[in-house]
Amino acid sequence: MTTPALLQLQGIRKEFPGCLANDNISLDITPGEIHALLGENGAGKSTLVKIIYGVLRPDQGQIRWHGNPVQIPHPAGARELGIGMVFQHFSLFESMTTLENVALALPPQDLNELRARLEQTANDYGLTLHPDRHVYDLSMGERQRIEIVRCLLQNPSLLILDEPTSVLTPQETETLFATLRTLAGEGRSILYISHKLEEVRTLCDRATILRGGQRVDECIPANETAHSMAEKMIGRRVESAPRHTAPSASEARLQVTDLSVRSDQPHGTDIDSVSFSVRAGEILAIAGIAGNGQIELMNALSGETGPPRSGSIRMLDTEAGALTPVARRQLGAVFVPEERIGQAAVSDLNLVQNSFLTSADRLGFVSRGLVNWAGVEHYAQEILQRFDVKAAGTAALANSLSGGNLQKFIVGREILQQPQLLVVSQPTWGVDAGAAAAIHEQIQRLVSAGAGALIISQDLDEIFALCDRIAVISQGTLSEPQLASDITTQEVGLLMGASRERTESLSHAGA
Amino acid sequence: MLALEARATQSASAAWLSPLLAMALTGLTGALIFLAMGKAPGIALYIYFIEPLTSWSGLSEVAVKAGPLILIGIGLSVGFRAGVWNIGAEGQFIAGALLGSAPAVVFYDSTNPLILPAMLALGVLGGMAWAAIPALLKTRFNANEILVSLMLVYVAELLLVHLVQGPWRNPQGWGFPGTRMFPDAALLPMLFRGYRVHLGTLIALLVPLLAWFVLTKSRFGFKVRVFGSAPLAARHAGISNPRMIWATLLIGGGLAGLAGIMEAASTIGQLMPKISPGYGFTAIIVAFLGRLHPVGVALAGSAIAVTYIGGEGAQISAGLPKAVTGLFQGIILFYLLAFDLLTRYRLTRIGNKVSAT
């Protein structure tokens, strides 16, 4: 390498109790480079990035900045050096405006001056922003643009992005990439964390691959295939899931007609007259960007938010709109909500107790008010075994599992109940490739055996790999479901962003 | 500058260590307070914490005081586990004593052996009825149960004063506020001649065992746990929100009511304007000191009871003010909460600059 490195990590080691998160990791980033940090969940990406951004301190190893050894004791120190970071989960106040959110992160200054700088920076990089709109009103893409502009206002020479496209439509992703390329063209470096390998291939100059806390490889993504990089990440061969074949006609497992639901969340999205059906042996996908009514739809289907405002939910030939979650499960339906910790599982309960959570009635673990814990224990062991959940036994607490393993556990808990209908939201969100493949395979298998499945997801790769028909949810309304073979990723992407553009233009007209 | 930083892992033993440390530090702080008051700290601490345990009568008195604390503490701990914050056990205690005493006041010369079971049952119902008010208001209007249950304490106290000065006043009592003394049939039998330990004390010791069984073995116990630590998971699992609020408040109220009637129908033997030395409030400390665990609550109830008896002894033999008892209870809670915070967080210094080495 001829250019001197902007950031150089040498022998970084960080150990948490019971877990060596980073083991002797070295990495260098040259100016103007887009550098990918690849790895499965739990590979040590987050820890490494937190060390660079001053959130954590390494136990051993050295950080060099422009060749000089530095210590980064806190994020403010990182920003002082010229390191900016956009986290996966945005740190924005929903009830404040774009401008106010930006002002909060910067030293106190004149708001009008800041507004001018904000608009200037946003224009320079093609990031459309409206300084006076409230954040709750904004799409995920816009929120991310606020975070990026907020970083850029501090003129960073290194910008770290953690899974930036997980909340974006394909079109928004394109815009983001254009911006990132402009930034790199100015000589700024970008550390890009992702496990979407196709994106890394098109965007990044170099990739460092972590596995089990160690740096296992480095590659030029353009010279690789997504498949070859996935194998480097996982460390073994990846099999793609066998595809089920959807029957041409079969009875409906779920029939939703004109369903309207009022959101129980502040700034939530109401569901407006949604109709669709899921047949036996079929996987229907509901695509959409987070926050367009998916949570409300999911909770209405699982019965967690009570009867809908209007419309009907027919589940396994029974009118289920007024039934409790337990009664719906008794019919043979199971549900996997997107929130793993706190909704699908309880963090401070062990896996036996978490197995019992949704299976109590369907598997008959209760008699005369007492729990047959020995039976549940057996069931929990079966889940761990059949679904290859890596955990320190059934006595492990749910929060000790990695995201992927917890999701395998939750999906396993539901599928082993042999449901006739599976409703699952974001089945592989934040889950590593190996676990995602395993979850997809189990869903396919269940559906091949005659169950119907509804998958609510914003991952278009997943949707096209798995589903027979696709509908798009946007602002609480649903598009007509179409055969997956009749629609392209781009068309789905347009539908995902469609009605937002409509309201945006409306609010512009009003402004 | 100092800041609190969440610990990555929490020590499991810390949960049990912090009540013990809190009690030890309370003793130490007590010694300093006694010193400041001009008392010999060694002697004062001995009177407070050791002397009640050195005689059978002392132990008996401790058990008598521990009974209501344990009963109420168990009921509250079930609610607290579920995240239902019933702060008004004192009012439920009084309501139980009031309703439970009605048969003894009306049939003041009864010898019917059924009067006592009837009183205990009514006592439970009275406590439940008082706790039903916050339950109803919370499930119907989402009213905060902390405020409602707390304010109802004062309503219950005034109702008690009204009854013992008015309709229920002993006609042969020379105008003093208070009911007639209960007939013998309406009093809980003593367990040992010459000591005040009574059947209610025994019941109070059995309830933690029952609670432990229910909390660990039953589906209800599981629901309580889930409802308290992850309300959304509870909803996902189909655990009914209103039912859990009702159930936990009724259990807390029922046990407080039982404690109330057992107190009236034993050591007091009548209703008076004041029938509780703050059991309902002290039991909140007991519940937390006992880590919301039935066995822990039984131990904590006994430990706190010692300070009550020690306080009485100190008043008589060392001339210490009664307020010291309340002071001790407050200090224990303070240290306990401090230790609990430090098991979850650690103190770190922040504000150092970026440095080149």
Side-chain angles (χ1 to χ4, degrees):
Chain A
M1 214 140 326
T2 48
T3 25
L6 170 73
L7 175 76
Q8 216 175 359
L9 303 181
Q10 289 167 332
I12 295 291
R13 178 189 168 92
K14 178 76 187 175
E15 191 170 2
F16 295 112
C19 163
L20 183 54
N22 281 175
D23 183 10
N24 192 24
I25 293 182
S26 298
L27 170 78
D28 55 77
I29 299 173
T30 51
E33 171 185 46
I34 304 184
H35 194 115
L37 190 57
L38 285 175
E40 296 201 282
N41 280 10
K45 291 174 301 188
S46 302
T47 304
L48 190 65
V49 164
K50 282 180 183 163
I51 287 171
I52 298 174
Y53 196 56
V55 179
L56 294 172
R57 292 206 213 185
D59 301 333
Q60 276 175 32
Q62 210 175 40
I63 305 174
R64 284 172 182 271
W65 183 252
H66 289 300
N68 303 317
V70 288
Q71 289 195 344
I72 308 174
H74 38 62
R79 287 194 292 269
E80 242 170 82
L81 288 174
I83 300 173
M85 173 145 185
V86 176
F87 286 93
Q88 188 178 5
H89 299 285
F90 303 146
S91 40
L92 297 172
F93 294 95
E94 294 216 330
S95 54
M96 298 176 93
T97 65
T98 301
L99 181 65
E100 287 164 346
N101 267 290
V102 171
L104 269 178
L106 300 174
Q109 57 193 289
D110 180 58
L111 268 190
N112 285 325
E113 213 173 285
L114 181 63
R115 178 196 304 271
R117 278 179 59 206
L118 176 74
E119 283 174 339
Q120 181 67 44
T121 311
N123 278 337
D124 286 352
Y125 296 100
L127 300 162
T128 320
L129 277 185
H130 310 289
D132 297 315
R133 281 181 67 179
H134 286 94
V135 169
Y136 63 77
D137 213 19
L138 303 180
S139 74
M140 286 299 146
E142 286 169 288
R143 292 179 197 206
Q144 187 180 60
R145 293 202 283 273
I146 302 175
E147 294 259 357
I148 294 175
V149 168
R150 193 158 77 172
C151 281
L152 291 179
L153 283 172
Q154 301 174 57
N155 195 23
S157 29
L158 172 65
L159 187 62
I160 306 171
L161 295 142
D162 189 3
E163 300 277 354
T165 58
S166 59
V167 293
L168 303 183
T169 65
Q171 286 78 9
E172 284 174 325
T173 302
E174 277 308 313
T175 319
L176 172 70
F177 285 2
T179 305
L180 296 182
R181 289 193 184 102
T182 313
L183 288 169
E186 292 176 350
R188 297 180 207 271
S189 307
I190 287 154
L191 183 59
Y192 187 88
I193 299 153
S194 180
H195 50 234
K196 291 195 178 171
L197 300 166
E198 279 302 336
E199 286 179 12
V200 169
R201 258 171 49 76
T202 54
L203 180 71
C204 300
D205 305 315
R206 263 198 311 158
T208 294
I209 299 167
L210 302 185
R211 185 168 71 226
Q214 291 176 323
R215 175 183 169 284
V216 291
D217 209 343
E218 189 189 289
C219 63
I220 309 281
N223 300 342
E224 302 278 335
T225 64
H227 200 83
S228 67
M229 283 195 287
E231 289 184 354
K232 286 185 170 126
M233 253 165 66
I234 300 167
R236 56 182 158 80
R237 295 190 58 79
V238 186
E239 314 280 343
S240 48
R243 233 194 119 86
H244 71 280
T245 41
S248 49
S250 57
E251 79 263 36
R253 294 286 191 224
L254 173 66
Q255 178 80 54
V256 171
T257 317
D258 292 331
L259 178 71
S260 292
V261 176
R262 193 189 295 275
S263 176
D264 64 339
Q265 298 296 315
H267 310 316
T269 307
D270 296 345
I271 298 290
D272 185 14
S273 195
V274 159
S275 302
F276 61 88
S277 68
V278 179
R279 296 195 308 268
E282 173 194 57
I283 304 181
L284 173 73
I286 292 188
I289 303 159
N292 274 287
Q294 288 95 329
I295 292 175
E296 288 80 0
L297 178 62
M298 181 74 197
N299 289 342
L301 292 176
S302 69
E304 285 171 56
T305 39
R309 187 163 56 176
S310 66
S312 115
I313 301 173
R314 261 190 98 70
M315 209 170 261
L316 304 161
D317 298 325
T318 310
E319 188 55 47
L323 295 182
T324 64
V326 173
R328 294 183 200 204
R329 288 201 180 93
Q330 292 288 53
L331 293 176
V334 298
F335 310 92
V336 179
E338 69 177 59
E339 210 60 62
R340 266 157 238 161
I341 282 287
Q343 188 174 4
V346 184
S347 60
D348 57 350
L349 292 186
N350 65 35
L351 296 183
V352 179
Q353 293 162 318
N354 271 300
S355 303
F356 178 72
L357 195 64
T358 61
S359 67
D361 298 283
R362 199 164 155 73
L363 298 184
F365 285 132
V366 184
S367 72
R368 290 203 212 110
L370 298 184
V371 180
N372 170 15
W373 284 116
V376 184
E377 158 87 40
H378 193 78
Y379 174 55
Q381 260 160 11
E382 196 183 338
I383 299 173
L384 297 198
Q385 219 165 49
R386 292 265 299 273
F387 287 79
D388 190 30
V389 179
K390 289 190 192 72
T394 52
L397 297 185
N399 62 7
S400 72
L401 269 64
S402 73
N405 277 304
L406 184 59
Q407 184 70 348
K408 282 199 278 187
F409 170 80
I410 293 166
V411 171
R413 177 182 72 189
E414 304 304 332
I415 285 184
L416 277 188
Q417 296 179 36
Q418 298 179 324
Q420 290 303 302
L421 172 67
L422 167 72
V423 181
V424 47
S425 185
Q426 317 294 355
T428 57
W429 199 351
V431 166
D432 57 68
I439 289 168
H440 286 165
E441 191 190 329
Q442 295 290 349
I443 295 175
Q444 299 261 24
R445 220 177 258 175
L446 180 76
V447 171
S448 300
L454 172 66
I455 294 183
I456 301 172
S457 175
Q458 56 182 344
D459 182 343
L460 292 186
D461 297 341
E462 168 173 86
I463 286 174
F464 276 95
L466 219 54
C467 301
D468 305 303
R469 288 188 302 143
I470 300 172
V472 175
I473 190 168
S474 176
Q475 302 221 322
T477 60
L478 196 70
S479 72
E480 185 68 30
Q482 298 188 47
L483 285 176
S485 49
D486 292 351
I487 188 168
T488 66
T489 318
Q490 290 305 312
E491 286 166 333
V492 173
L494 283 174
L495 284 169
M496 283 162 79
S499 61
R500 196 174 59 241
E501 272 158 27
R502 198 177 63 223
T503 47
E504 248 172 43
S505 57
L506 281 177
S507 71
H508 278 281
Chain B
M1 218 174 98
L2 288 172
L4 287 170
E5 180 184 276
R7 288 180 194 270
T9 53
Q10 290 167 35
S11 150
S13 55
W16 288 99
L17 220 54
S18 64
L20 297 177
L21 275 172
M23 286 195 271
L25 272 181
T26 303
L28 209 68
T29 313
L32 291 175
I33 292 173
F34 290 139
L35 208 62
M37 293 168 78
K39 310 280 177 187
I43 296 172
L45 283 178
Y46 177 82
I47 294 173
Y48 246 95
F49 295 109
I50 311 292
E51 195 170 48
L53 304 174
T54 55
S55 66
W56 287 115
S57 66
L59 284 171
S60 155
E61 286 306 300
V62 167
V64 166
K65 278 276 187 293
L69 289 177
I70 293 172
L71 270 183
I72 305 169
I74 291 286
L76 290 184
S77 65
V78 173
F80 293 166
R81 274 176 177 235
V84 176
W85 304 104
N86 174 9
I87 302 299
E90 182 82 358
Q92 294 140 25
F93 178 95
I94 294 170
L98 273 181
L99 194 63
S101 299
V105 173
V106 176
F107 307 107
Y108 53 87
D109 50 3
S110 168
T111 53
N112 189 333
L114 288 179
I115 191 169
L116 188 62
M119 286 167 66
L120 295 182
L122 282 173
V124 171
L125 282 178
M128 282 185 168
W130 216 245
I133 301 170
L136 181 74
L137 295 181
K138 184 169 178 69
T139 50
R140 271 291 161 81
F141 306 111
N142 200 23
N144 185 314
E145 77 276 18
I146 298 176
L147 295 176
V148 175
S149 63
L150 179 63
M151 290 190 292
L152 282 170
V153 171
Y154 307 106
V155 179
E157 282 178 352
L158 292 171
L159 190 62
L160 172 67
V161 170
H162 168 73
L163 281 175
V164 299
Q165 287 182 341
W168 283 8
R169 186 166 62 187
N170 182 358
Q172 278 112 50
W174 294 286
F176 281 108
T179 62
R180 289 176 205 269
M181 294 305 290
F182 295 173
D184 281 350
L187 291 176
L188 287 158
M190 303 288 169
L191 296 181
F192 307 103
R193 178 174 294 275
Y195 296 104
R196 298 208 299 167
V197 180
H198 52 82
L199 187 62
T201 318
L202 198 64
I203 294 175
L205 287 177
L206 292 177
V207 165
L209 293 178
L210 182 69
W212 173 81
F213 181 79
V214 169
L215 287 175
T216 53
K217 305 286 179 197
S218 79
R219 182 174 203 184
F220 175 75
F222 180 78
K223 285 181 175 178
V224 164
R225 179 96 193 259
V226 173
F227 191 70
S229 64
L232 279 180
R235 196 180 73 172
H236 179 65
I239 298 170
S240 152
N241 185 328
R243 263 194 233 171
M244 291 310 290
I245 292 168
W246 273 102
T248 51
L249 273 166
L250 290 185
I251 288 172
L255 285 176
L258 180 63
I261 184 56
M262 292 205 305
E263 187 73 2
S266 60
T267 47
I268 307 177
Q270 65 177 137
L271 284 183
M272 301 190 303
K274 189 150 181 65
I275 54 169
S276 162
Y279 285 134
F281 293 118
T282 307
I284 298 170
I285 303 176
V286 168
F288 281 107
L289 200 61
R291 315 275 76 179
L292 308 183
H293 188 286
V295 176
V297 169
L299 292 174
S302 310
I304 294 287
V306 173
T307 65
Y308 269 118
I309 305 304
E312 284 170 12
Q315 229 178 318
I316 297 161
S317 58
L320 284 165
K322 198 179 170 189
V324 173
T325 304
L327 192 66
F328 273 138
Q329 293 172 357
I331 293 172
I332 278 199
L333 186 64
F334 169 81
Y335 279 127
L336 182 73
L337 294 177
F339 280 124
D340 280 353
L341 185 78
L342 290 176
T343 54
R344 278 180 290 130
Y345 299 90
R346 69 171 130 244
L347 279 175
T348 52
R349 297 188 50 180
I350 55 167
N352 27 355
K353 298 281 288 179
V354 186
S355 59
T357 46

